[in-house]
Amino acid sequence: MVFPPNRIFPHDVIPISGDAVGKVMDFTSISKSLESGGGGVADLALPAENLLAWWYAGNGATKPEEITVANPLLPPDGQAVTAWADLGVSSYDLTKAGAGTATWRKSVAAANGRGGIELNNAYFSRNIAGGILANLTTYNLHIAFFSTTTALAALYGEGRSTGGGVPVVIGWLNNPAGDIQLFHRSDASVVATLGGNFTAGAMHIFTGRRIASNSWSILLDGVEVATDTDAPGTTTIDRLAIGALVRDTVTAICSDTTICCVAIYSDDSYASVFALMAEHYGVTMPPFLGGEIAYASSIGI
Amino acid sequence: MTLRARVLFPSTGRNLPIVVIMHGFSDQVSNFISSTRERFAGYGVFALFVEMRGRGASGGSPDAGGREIQDIIDAVQYVKATYATFVNPNQVYIVGYSGGGGNVFSALSKFPDTFNGGIAFFGISDYGYDETDGWYQNGASVSQQTSLANWIGGTPVAVPDRYHSRASVLAIVNFTGGHLWMFHDLSDTSVPVVNSQNVADTMDAAGLTNYELNITTTLDNPRWLHGYPNLGEQESLIEAEAIFVPDILAGTYPAWTVPASGTLQVAGYLDTKRFRLELGNLTDEYGEVTYDMTTREFTITSDTGAATYSLTLKGQMPNTSISATINEVEDSQMSDGFGNVTFTGDV
């Protein structure tokens, strides 16, 4: 058998060595504006495309009488925060609620010196028909937080303010202690995903991905910790909250938990958003990012 | 219809080449074990494991060398849009094993200038067009023959045009840029080595030298034995990665575009950076197009009898009346806001 030059028979295998092994392009710092560390104004530049809502403890932590998005002055360190403005396009501005306190912390050591809002038996909420995430079949929910406790709490919720406790939509609980959970629950009480662990005293970034109507992935610090294939239906929603679970009665209110950022996207840009947030808050990234993706066929069956 | 894939890439990587990795004929992405997925990502690429339609969690009905090739491109487009922070959109490769190797041949035939390179491990280049060398006739098990008949819509005798439209062994000549690596073992009975040899013969006949055919025998170590490059399975296949991965990382093969004029094969459908041409229902006709983008003259022929066509020219003036001459008949259509204009007719 005779082979032309480009038919190799047999072939001398060339081992991969040197630069070819595990070669990774240099990390390119994402552009940021203004100061680094110490909280401050909009120094975290998230992608604007498909950004549904963004509560950021920089110029998003506001006292309405003195601070607006257009005038992003910050309250003095340690001052009570009475409202939290949405920096996305939807203006889902929230109002402080609950018997406890919401305190602006200009520089949270565990959060790479970035700002945060420390919640102690307090939360932020607003009435909103339909919620933000409740009826979406694709979304990413990112929450950057720091907590000194693993006691029961909730970081983000959409639910019904009346008519029973079933329609909790998006809850994120540390119940049992240290175990994170993502709920997307319909009127039929389907729990879509749950799992994972976090450490008290360390900064974390939680990501909940709804990849498709029946596909879920939750990540802690960029590592997938649980998946699920349940497909809950639509739910009647009239309120959302940061720092609490909203039902007919508000429960699972945060204590000793500092929330730095909540960002919600209607697409699956989780990796890009996570990378930006991880750099900003000094959260160690895992060696790899990834997971399942779902996409539409352009030609159908 | 929703399709599924898995991605994995270095978290600190930027400008990563996209490497599509395709599973076998009736398998799914999970056939690549986690260590294999991490090995690919660890090379410093954006690894995209596409799950073929009708397999695993992907929706739709299975196909073989037909519609699922468009699904691969849809996945690549999704990645380019969703992971723009991490990928180099101008470096796209496709690797496949067995039926996945068949996807490599089909993808390079139907979307030639989408890919900088393809790597086919014991790929199926003909599902049943050739009475002797077609996989249906030579290599497929009885159950695989049944799957082919079910997925394609009949046996090669019953629906020869459908197998013709999937014959990448004929249309591989469209891949005039980039580079094709083929790996096969002479003793392979699951997909006989003639599948790769015929591709090489076709490219030789067309004067193309942008390929390597790497065949092993019992005298070689390692050997390219049929299976997956997983630890505990066909581990020798991992050594083949040393042959093509360095070129991927080095960007040896730049992005390219089919010539402004020439002749290309149409295995059901053909999509280039210059135009897209669909015959019939995408999976039941085979033809040829001779074209000149400068004069917008096209001659479209069908080897499988009368067929409808849909020709979309790209890169035209947006929202403008565009004229083209197709089979010596002049036609004018309005382009859309993206500069695409479509002509339809019969050949």
Side-chain angles (χ1 to χ4, degrees), chain B residues 209-290:
Chain B
T209 59
N210 56 327
Y211 77 89
E212 297 172 34
L213 173 57
N214 190 320
I215 299 174
T216 56
T217 72
T218 54
L219 301 177
D220 295 317
N221 184 21
R223 296 176 65 187
W224 316 136
L225 297 175
H226 209 96
Y228 283 98
N230 295 328
L231 295 177
E233 298 182 43
Q234 294 297 357
E235 295 185 12
S236 62
L237 297 175
I238 298 171
E239 298 190 52
E241 292 157 17
I243 296 171
F244 60 85
V245 168
D247 280 328
I248 294 175
L249 298 178
T252 303
Y253 301 101
W256 63 285
T257 304
V258 296
S261 63
T263 298
L264 294 170
Q265 302 297 299
V266 188
Y269 56 105
L270 168 67
D271 197 316
T272 75
K273 292 173 183 171
R274 299 186 186 278
F275 64 88
R276 177 181 175 95
L277 176 57
E278 300 177 356
L279 295 178
N281 72 0
L282 306 179
T283 61
D284 58 356
E285 307 289 353
Y286 187 98
E288 185 177 275
V289 57
T290 298

Coordinates of all heavy atoms in Angstrom, one line a residue, chain B residues 209-290:
Chain B
T209 N -4.6 19.4 -0.6 CA -3.6 18.7 0.2 C -3.7 19.1 1.7 O -2.9 18.8 2.5 CB -2.2 19.2 -0.3 OG1 -2.1 20.6 -0.2 CG2 -1.9 18.7 -1.7
N210 N -4.8 19.8 2.0 CA -5.0 20.3 3.4 C -5.6 19.2 4.3 O -6.5 19.4 5.1 CB -5.9 21.5 3.4 CG -7.2 21.3 2.8 OD1 -7.4 20.5 1.8 ND2 -8.2 22.0 3.3
Y211 N -5.0 18.0 4.3 CA -5.5 17.0 5.2 C -4.3 16.0 5.5 O -3.3 16.0 4.9 CB -6.6 16.2 4.5 CG -6.1 15.2 3.5 CD1 -5.8 13.9 3.8 CD2 -6.0 15.5 2.1 CE1 -5.3 13.0 2.9 CE2 -5.5 14.7 1.2 CZ -5.2 13.4 1.5 OH -4.7 12.5 0.6
E212 N -4.5 15.3 6.6 CA -3.6 14.2 7.0 C -4.5 13.0 7.3 O -5.5 13.1 8.0 CB -2.9 14.6 8.3 CG -1.9 15.7 8.2 CD -1.4 16.1 9.5 OE1 -1.1 15.2 10.4 OE2 -1.2 17.3 9.8
L213 N -4.1 11.9 6.7 CA -4.8 10.6 7.0 C -3.8 9.8 7.8 O -2.8 9.4 7.3 CB -5.2 9.9 5.7 CG -5.8 8.5 5.9 CD1 -7.0 8.5 6.9 CD2 -6.2 7.9 4.6
N214 N -4.2 9.5 9.0 CA -3.3 8.8 9.9 C -3.9 7.4 10.3 O -4.9 7.4 11.0 CB -3.1 9.7 11.2 CG -2.0 9.1 12.1 OD1 -1.9 7.9 12.3 ND2 -1.3 10.1 12.7
I215 N -3.3 6.4 9.7 CA -3.9 5.0 9.9 C -2.9 4.2 10.7 O -1.7 4.2 10.4 CB -4.1 4.4 8.5 CG1 -5.2 5.2 7.7 CG2 -4.6 2.9 8.7 CD1 -5.4 4.7 6.3
T216 N -3.4 3.5 11.7 CA -2.5 2.6 12.4 C -2.9 1.1 12.1 O -4.0 0.8 11.6 CB -2.7 2.8 13.9 OG1 -4.1 2.7 14.3 CG2 -2.2 4.2 14.3
T217 N -2.0 0.2 12.4 CA -2.2 -1.2 12.2 C -1.7 -1.9 13.5 O -1.4 -1.3 14.5 CB -1.3 -1.7 11.1 OG1 0.0 -1.8 11.4 CG2 -1.5 -0.9 9.8
T218 N -1.8 -3.2 13.5 CA -1.3 -4.0 14.6 C 0.1 -3.8 15.0 O 0.6 -4.1 16.1 CB -1.6 -5.5 14.4 OG1 -0.9 -5.9 13.1 CG2 -3.1 -5.8 14.2
L219 N 0.9 -3.2 14.0 CA 2.3 -3.0 14.3 C 2.5 -1.7 15.0 O 3.7 -1.4 15.4 CB 3.0 -3.0 12.9 CG 2.9 -4.2 12.1 CD1 3.7 -4.0 10.8 CD2 3.5 -5.4 12.9
D220 N 1.5 -0.9 15.2 CA 1.7 0.4 15.8 C 1.3 0.5 17.3 O 0.5 -0.3 17.7 CB 0.8 1.5 15.0 CG 1.3 1.6 13.6 OD1 2.5 1.7 13.4 OD2 0.4 1.7 12.7
N221 N 1.9 1.4 17.9 CA 1.5 1.7 19.3 C 1.8 3.2 19.5 O 3.0 3.6 19.4 CB 2.3 0.9 20.3 CG 1.9 1.2 21.7 OD1 0.8 1.7 22.0 ND2 2.8 0.9 22.7
P222 N 0.8 4.0 19.7 CA -0.6 3.7 20.0 C -1.3 3.4 18.7 O -0.8 3.7 17.6 CB -1.1 5.0 20.6 CG -0.3 6.1 19.9 CD 1.1 5.5 19.8
R223 N -2.5 2.9 18.8 CA -3.4 2.6 17.7 C -4.7 3.4 17.9 O -5.1 3.7 19.0 CB -3.7 1.1 17.6 CG -2.6 0.2 17.4 CD -3.0 -1.2 17.4 NE -3.9 -1.6 16.3 CZ -4.5 -2.8 16.2 NH1 -4.3 -3.7 17.1 NH2 -5.3 -3.0 15.2
W224 N -5.3 3.8 16.8 CA -6.5 4.6 16.8 C -7.7 3.6 16.8 O -8.5 3.6 15.8 CB -6.5 5.5 15.7 CG -5.2 6.3 15.4 CD1 -4.7 6.5 14.2 CD2 -4.4 6.9 16.4 NE1 -3.5 7.2 14.3 CE2 -3.3 7.5 15.6 CE3 -4.4 7.0 17.8 CZ2 -2.3 8.2 16.3 CZ3 -3.3 7.7 18.4 CH2 -2.3 8.3 17.6
L225 N -7.8 2.9 17.9 CA -8.9 1.9 18.0 C -10.2 2.6 18.3 O -10.3 3.6 19.0 CB -8.6 0.9 19.0 CG -7.3 0.0 18.8 CD1 -7.0 -0.9 19.9 CD2 -7.5 -0.8 17.5
H226 N -11.3 2.0 17.8 CA -12.6 2.5 17.9 C -13.1 2.7 19.4 O -13.0 1.7 20.1 CB -13.6 1.6 17.2 CG -14.8 2.4 16.6 ND1 -14.8 2.8 15.3 CD2 -15.9 2.8 17.2 CE1 -16.0 3.4 15.1 NE2 -16.7 3.4 16.2
G227 N -13.5 3.9 19.7 CA -14.0 4.1 21.1 C -13.9 5.6 21.5 O -13.7 6.4 20.6
Y228 N -14.0 5.8 22.8 CA -13.8 7.1 23.3 C -12.5 7.4 23.9 O -11.9 6.4 24.5 CB -14.9 7.4 24.3 CG -16.3 7.7 23.7 CD1 -17.2 6.7 23.6 CD2 -16.6 8.9 23.2 CE1 -18.5 6.9 23.0 CE2 -17.8 9.2 22.6 CZ -18.7 8.2 22.5 OH -19.9 8.4 21.9
P229 N -12.0 8.6 23.9 CA -10.7 8.9 24.5 C -10.8 9.1 26.0 O -10.3 10.1 26.5 CB -10.3 10.2 23.7 CG -11.6 10.9 23.5 CD -12.6 9.8 23.3
N230 N -11.4 8.2 26.6 CA -11.6 8.2 28.1 C -10.6 7.4 28.8 O -10.2 6.3 28.3 CB -13.0 7.8 28.5 CG -14.1 8.6 27.9 OD1 -13.9 9.9 27.8 ND2 -15.3 8.0 27.6
L231 N -10.2 7.8 30.0 CA -9.4 6.9 30.8 C -10.2 5.6 31.1 O -11.4 5.7 31.4 CB -9.1 7.6 32.2 CG -8.2 8.9 32.0 CD1 -8.0 9.5 33.4 CD2 -6.8 8.5 31.4
G232 N -9.5 4.5 30.9 CA -10.2 3.2 31.1 C -10.9 2.7 29.9 O -11.4 1.6 29.9
E233 N -10.9 3.5 28.8 CA -11.4 3.1 27.5 C -10.3 3.1 26.5 O -9.3 2.5 26.7 CB -12.6 3.9 27.2 CG -13.8 3.8 28.2 CD -15.0 4.6 27.8 OE1 -15.4 4.6 26.7 OE2 -15.5 5.3 28.7
Q234 N -10.5 3.7 25.4 CA -9.4 3.7 24.4 C -8.4 4.9 24.7 O -8.4 5.9 24.0 CB -10.0 3.9 23.0 CG -10.9 2.7 22.5 CD -10.1 1.4 22.4 OE1 -8.9 1.4 22.6 NE2 -10.8 0.4 22.1
E235 N -7.6 4.6 25.7 CA -6.7 5.7 26.2 C -5.7 6.1 25.1 O -5.1 7.2 25.1 CB -6.0 5.2 27.4 CG -7.0 5.0 28.6 CD -6.2 4.7 29.9 OE1 -5.0 4.8 29.9 OE2 -6.9 4.3 30.9
S236 N -5.4 5.1 24.2 CA -4.4 5.5 23.1 C -4.9 6.7 22.3 O -4.0 7.4 21.8 CB -4.2 4.3 22.2 OG -5.4 3.9 21.5
L237 N -6.2 6.9 22.2 CA -6.7 8.0 21.4 C -6.2 9.3 22.0 O -6.1 10.3 21.3 CB -8.2 7.9 21.3 CG -8.8 6.7 20.6 CD1 -10.3 6.7 20.7 CD2 -8.3 6.6 19.2
I238 N -6.0 9.3 23.3 CA -5.6 10.6 23.9 C -4.2 11.1 23.3 O -4.0 12.3 23.2 CB -5.4 10.4 25.5 CG1 -6.8 10.0 26.1 CG2 -4.9 11.6 26.1 CD1 -6.7 9.5 27.5
E239 N -3.4 10.1 22.9 CA -2.1 10.5 22.4 C -2.3 11.2 21.0 O -1.4 11.9 20.6 CB -1.2 9.2 22.3 CG -0.9 8.6 23.6 CD 0.2 7.5 23.5 OE1 1.2 7.8 23.0 OE2 -0.1 6.4 24.0
A240 N -3.4 10.9 20.3 CA -3.6 11.6 19.1 C -3.8 13.1 19.3 O -3.5 13.9 18.3 CB -4.8 11.0 18.4
E241 N -4.2 13.5 20.5 CA -4.4 14.9 20.7 C -3.1 15.7 20.6 O -3.2 16.9 20.3 CB -5.1 15.1 22.1 CG -6.5 14.5 22.1 CD -7.1 14.2 23.5 OE1 -6.5 14.6 24.5 OE2 -8.1 13.4 23.5
A242 N -2.0 15.0 20.8 CA -0.7 15.7 20.7 C -0.5 16.1 19.2 O 0.4 16.9 18.9 CB 0.4 14.8 21.2
I243 N -1.2 15.5 18.3 CA -1.0 15.8 16.9 C -1.7 17.0 16.4 O -1.2 17.8 15.6 CB -1.4 14.6 16.0 CG1 -0.5 13.4 16.4 CG2 -1.3 14.9 14.6 CD1 -0.9 12.1 15.8
F244 N -2.9 17.3 17.0 CA -3.7 18.4 16.5 C -3.9 19.5 17.5 O -4.1 20.7 17.1 CB -5.1 17.9 16.0 CG -5.9 17.3 17.0 CD1 -6.7 18.0 17.8 CD2 -6.0 15.9 17.1 CE1 -7.6 17.4 18.7 CE2 -6.8 15.3 18.0 CZ -7.6 16.0 18.9
V245 N -3.8 19.3 18.7 CA -4.0 20.3 19.7 C -3.0 21.5 19.6 O -3.4 22.6 19.7 CB -4.0 19.7 21.2 CG1 -4.0 20.9 22.2 CG2 -5.3 18.9 21.4
P246 N -1.7 21.2 19.4 CA -0.8 22.3 19.3 C -1.1 23.3 18.2 O -1.0 24.5 18.3 CB 0.6 21.6 19.1 CG 0.4 20.3 19.7 CD -1.0 19.9 19.5
D247 N -1.6 22.8 17.1 CA -2.0 23.7 16.0 C -3.2 24.5 16.3 O -3.3 25.6 15.9 CB -2.3 22.8 14.7 CG -1.0 22.4 14.0 OD1 0.0 23.2 14.0 OD2 -1.0 21.4 13.4
I248 N -4.1 23.9 17.1 CA -5.3 24.7 17.5 C -4.8 25.8 18.5 O -5.2 27.0 18.3 CB -6.3 23.8 18.3 CG1 -6.9 22.7 17.3 CG2 -7.4 24.6 18.9 CD1 -7.8 21.7 17.9
L249 N -4.0 25.5 19.4 CA -3.5 26.5 20.3 C -2.7 27.6 19.7 O -2.7 28.8 20.1 CB -2.7 25.9 21.5 CG -3.4 24.8 22.3 CD1 -2.5 24.2 23.4 CD2 -4.6 25.5 23.0
A250 N -1.9 27.2 18.7 CA -1.1 28.1 18.0 C -1.8 29.0 17.0 O -1.2 29.9 16.4 CB 0.1 27.4 17.3
G251 N -3.0 28.6 16.7 CA -3.8 29.3 15.6 C -3.2 29.2 14.3 O -3.2 30.1 13.4
T252 N -2.7 28.0 14.0 CA -1.9 27.7 12.8 C -2.8 27.9 11.5 O -2.3 28.4 10.5 CB -1.5 26.2 12.8 OG1 -0.6 26.0 13.9 CG2 -0.7 25.9 11.5
Y253 N -4.1 27.7 11.7 CA -5.0 27.8 10.5 C -6.0 28.9 10.7 O -6.9 28.9 11.5 CB -5.7 26.4 10.3 CG -4.8 25.3 10.1 CD1 -4.5 24.4 11.1 CD2 -4.1 25.2 8.9 CE1 -3.5 23.4 11.0 CE2 -3.2 24.2 8.7 CZ -2.9 23.3 9.7 OH -2.0 22.3 9.6
P254 N -5.7 30.0 10.0 CA -6.5 31.2 10.2 C -7.9 31.0 9.6 O -8.2 30.1 8.8 CB -5.8 32.3 9.4 CG -5.0 31.5 8.4 CD -4.7 30.2 9.0
A255 N -8.8 31.9 10.0 CA -10.2 31.9 9.4 C -10.1 32.1 7.9 O -9.1 32.8 7.4 CB -11.0 33.0 10.1
W256 N -11.0 31.5 7.2 CA -10.9 31.6 5.7 C -12.3 31.8 5.2 O -13.3 31.6 5.9 CB -10.2 30.4 5.1 CG -10.9 29.1 5.4 CD1 -10.9 28.4 6.5 CD2 -11.6 28.4 4.4 NE1 -11.7 27.3 6.3 CE2 -12.1 27.2 5.1 CE3 -11.9 28.6 3.1 CZ2 -12.9 26.3 4.4 CZ3 -12.7 27.6 2.4 CH2 -13.2 26.5 3.1
T257 N -12.4 32.1 3.9 CA -13.7 32.3 3.3 C -13.6 31.5 1.9 O -12.6 31.6 1.2 CB -14.0 33.8 3.0 OG1 -14.0 34.4 4.3 CG2 -15.4 33.9 2.4
V258 N -14.7 30.9 1.5 CA -14.7 30.3 0.2 C -14.4 31.3 -0.8 O -14.7 32.5 -0.7 CB -16.0 29.5 -0.1 CG1 -16.3 28.4 0.9 CG2 -17.2 30.5 0.0
P259 N -13.9 30.9 -2.0 CA -13.5 31.9 -3.0 C -14.7 32.7 -3.5 O -15.9 32.3 -3.3 CB -12.9 31.1 -4.1 CG -12.5 29.8 -3.5 CD -13.4 29.6 -2.4
A260 N -14.5 33.9 -4.1 CA -15.6 34.7 -4.6 C -16.3 34.1 -5.8 O -17.4 34.5 -6.1 CB -15.0 36.1 -4.9
S261 N -15.6 33.2 -6.4 CA -16.3 32.5 -7.5 C -15.7 31.0 -7.5 O -14.6 30.8 -7.0 CB -16.0 33.2 -8.8 OG -14.6 33.2 -9.1
G262 N -16.5 30.1 -8.0 CA -16.1 28.8 -8.1 C -17.3 27.8 -8.2 O -18.4 28.2 -8.5
T263 N -17.0 26.6 -7.8 CA -18.0 25.5 -7.8 C -17.9 24.8 -6.5 O -16.9 24.4 -6.1 CB -17.8 24.5 -9.0 OG1 -17.9 25.2 -10.2 CG2 -18.8 23.4 -9.0
L264 N -19.1 24.6 -5.9 CA -19.2 23.9 -4.6 C -20.3 22.8 -4.7 O -21.2 23.0 -5.4 CB -19.5 24.9 -3.5 CG -18.4 25.9 -3.2 CD1 -18.9 27.0 -2.2 CD2 -17.2 25.2 -2.6
Q265 N -20.1 21.8 -3.9 CA -21.1 20.7 -3.8 C -22.2 21.1 -2.8 O -21.9 21.8 -1.8 CB -20.4 19.4 -3.4 CG -19.3 19.0 -4.3 CD -19.8 18.7 -5.7 OE1 -20.6 17.8 -5.9 NE2 -19.3 19.5 -6.7
V266 N -23.4 20.6 -3.0 CA -24.5 20.9 -2.1 C -25.1 19.6 -1.6 O -25.9 19.0 -2.3 CB -25.5 21.8 -2.8 CG1 -26.6 22.2 -1.7 CG2 -24.9 23.0 -3.5
A267 N -24.6 19.2 -0.5 CA -25.1 18.0 0.1 C -26.3 18.3 1.0 O -26.2 18.5 2.2 CB -24.0 17.3 1.0
G268 N -27.5 18.5 0.3 CA -28.7 18.9 1.0 C -28.7 20.4 1.2 O -29.7 21.1 0.8
Y269 N -27.7 20.9 1.9 CA -27.6 22.4 2.0 C -26.1 22.8 2.2 O -25.3 21.9 2.6 CB -28.5 22.9 3.2 CG -28.2 22.3 4.5 CD1 -27.5 22.9 5.5 CD2 -28.6 21.0 4.8 CE1 -27.3 22.4 6.8 CE2 -28.4 20.4 6.1 CZ -27.7 21.1 7.1 OH -27.5 20.5 8.3
L270 N -25.9 24.0 1.9 CA -24.5 24.5 1.9 C -24.6 25.9 2.5 O -25.4 26.8 2.0 CB -23.9 24.5 0.5 CG -22.6 25.3 0.3 CD1 -21.5 24.6 1.1 CD2 -22.3 25.4 -1.1
D271 N -23.8 26.2 3.5 CA -23.7 27.5 4.1 C -22.3 28.0 4.2 O -21.5 27.4 4.8 CB -24.4 27.4 5.5 CG -24.8 28.8 6.0 OD1 -24.0 29.8 5.9 OD2 -25.9 28.9 6.6
T272 N -22.1 29.1 3.5 CA -20.7 29.7 3.5 C -20.9 31.2 4.0 O -22.0 31.7 4.2 CB -20.1 29.7 2.1 OG1 -20.7 30.8 1.3 CG2 -20.2 28.4 1.4
K273 N -19.7 31.8 4.2 CA -19.8 33.2 4.6 C -20.4 34.1 3.5 O -20.7 35.2 3.7 CB -18.4 33.7 5.0 CG -17.9 33.0 6.3 CD -16.4 33.4 6.5 CE -15.9 32.7 7.8 NZ -14.5 32.8 8.0
R274 N -20.4 33.6 2.3 CA -20.9 34.4 1.1 C -22.4 34.1 0.8 O -23.1 35.0 0.4 CB -20.0 34.1 -0.1 CG -18.6 34.5 0.0 CD -17.8 34.3 -1.3 NE -16.4 34.5 -1.1 CZ -15.8 35.7 -1.1 NH1 -16.5 36.8 -1.2 NH2 -14.5 35.8 -0.9
F275 N -22.8 32.9 1.0 CA -24.2 32.6 0.6 C -24.6 31.3 1.3 O -23.7 30.5 1.7 CB -24.4 32.5 -0.9 CG -23.6 31.4 -1.5 CD1 -24.1 30.1 -1.7 CD2 -22.4 31.6 -2.1 CE1 -23.4 29.1 -2.3 CE2 -21.6 30.6 -2.7 CZ -22.2 29.3 -2.8
R276 N -25.9 31.0 1.3 CA -26.5 29.8 1.8 C -27.4 29.3 0.7 O -28.2 30.0 0.2 CB -27.2 30.0 3.1 CG -27.9 28.7 3.6 CD -28.7 29.0 4.9 NE -29.5 27.8 5.4 CZ -29.0 26.9 6.3 NH1 -27.8 27.1 6.8 NH2 -29.8 25.9 6.6
L277 N -27.3 28.0 0.4 CA -28.1 27.4 -0.6 C -28.7 26.1 0.0 O -28.0 25.2 0.4 CB -27.2 27.0 -1.9 CG -28.0 26.3 -3.0 CD1 -29.2 27.0 -3.5 CD2 -27.0 26.0 -4.1
E278 N -30.0 26.1 -0.1 CA -30.8 24.9 0.4 C -31.5 24.2 -0.8 O -32.1 24.9 -1.6 CB -31.8 25.3 1.4 CG -31.2 26.0 2.7 CD -32.3 26.5 3.6 OE1 -33.5 26.3 3.3 OE2 -32.0 27.0 4.7
L279 N -31.4 22.9 -0.8 CA -32.1 22.1 -1.8 C -33.1 21.3 -1.1 O -32.9 20.7 -0.1 CB -31.1 21.2 -2.6 CG -30.0 21.9 -3.4 CD1 -29.1 20.8 -4.0 CD2 -30.6 22.8 -4.5
G280 N -34.3 21.3 -1.7 CA -35.4 20.4 -1.2 C -35.7 20.8 0.3 O -35.7 21.9 0.7
N281 N -35.8 19.7 1.1 CA -36.1 19.9 2.5 C -34.8 19.8 3.3 O -34.9 19.5 4.5 CB -37.1 18.9 3.0 CG -36.6 17.5 3.1 OD1 -35.4 17.2 2.8 ND2 -37.4 16.5 3.5
L282 N -33.7 20.0 2.7 CA -32.3 20.0 3.3 C -31.7 18.6 3.4 O -30.5 18.5 3.6 CB -32.3 20.6 4.8 CG -32.9 22.0 5.0 CD1 -32.8 22.3 6.5 CD2 -32.2 23.0 4.2
T283 N -32.5 17.6 3.3 CA -32.0 16.3 3.5 C -32.4 15.3 2.4 O -32.3 14.1 2.7 CB -32.5 15.7 4.9 OG1 -33.9 15.6 4.8 CG2 -32.0 16.6 6.0
D284 N -32.8 15.7 1.3 CA -33.3 14.8 0.3 C -32.8 15.1 -1.1 O -33.3 14.4 -2.1 CB -34.8 14.7 0.3 CG -35.5 16.0 0.0 OD1 -34.8 17.0 -0.1 OD2 -36.7 16.0 -0.1
E285 N -31.8 16.0 -1.3 CA -31.3 16.3 -2.6 C -29.8 16.5 -2.5 O -29.3 16.8 -1.5 CB -32.0 17.6 -3.2 CG -33.5 17.6 -3.2 CD -34.1 16.7 -4.2 OE1 -33.3 16.1 -5.0 OE2 -35.3 16.5 -4.2
Y286 N -29.2 16.3 -3.7 CA -27.7 16.6 -3.8 C -27.5 17.3 -5.1 O -28.1 17.0 -6.1 CB -26.9 15.3 -3.8 CG -25.4 15.5 -3.7 CD1 -24.7 15.5 -2.5 CD2 -24.7 15.9 -4.8 CE1 -23.4 15.7 -2.4 CE2 -23.3 16.1 -4.8 CZ -22.7 16.0 -3.6 OH -21.3 16.3 -3.5
G287 N -26.7 18.4 -5.0 CA -26.5 19.1 -6.3 C -25.1 19.9 -6.2 O -24.2 19.5 -5.5
E288 N -25.1 20.8 -7.1 CA -23.8 21.6 -7.3 C -24.2 23.0 -7.6 O -25.2 23.3 -8.3 CB -23.0 20.9 -8.4 CG -21.6 21.5 -8.6 CD -20.9 20.7 -9.7 OE1 -20.3 19.7 -9.4 OE2 -21.0 21.2 -10.9
V289 N -23.3 23.9 -7.2 CA -23.5 25.3 -7.6 C -22.2 25.9 -8.1 O -21.2 25.7 -7.5 CB -24.1 26.2 -6.4 CG1 -23.1 26.1 -5.2 CG2 -24.3 27.6 -6.8
T290 N -22.3 26.5 -9.3 CA -21.2 27.3 -9.8 C -21.6 28.8 -9.7 O -22.7 29.1 -10.0 CB -21.0 27.0 -11.3 OG1 -20.6 25.6 -11.3 CG2 -19.8 27.8 -11.8

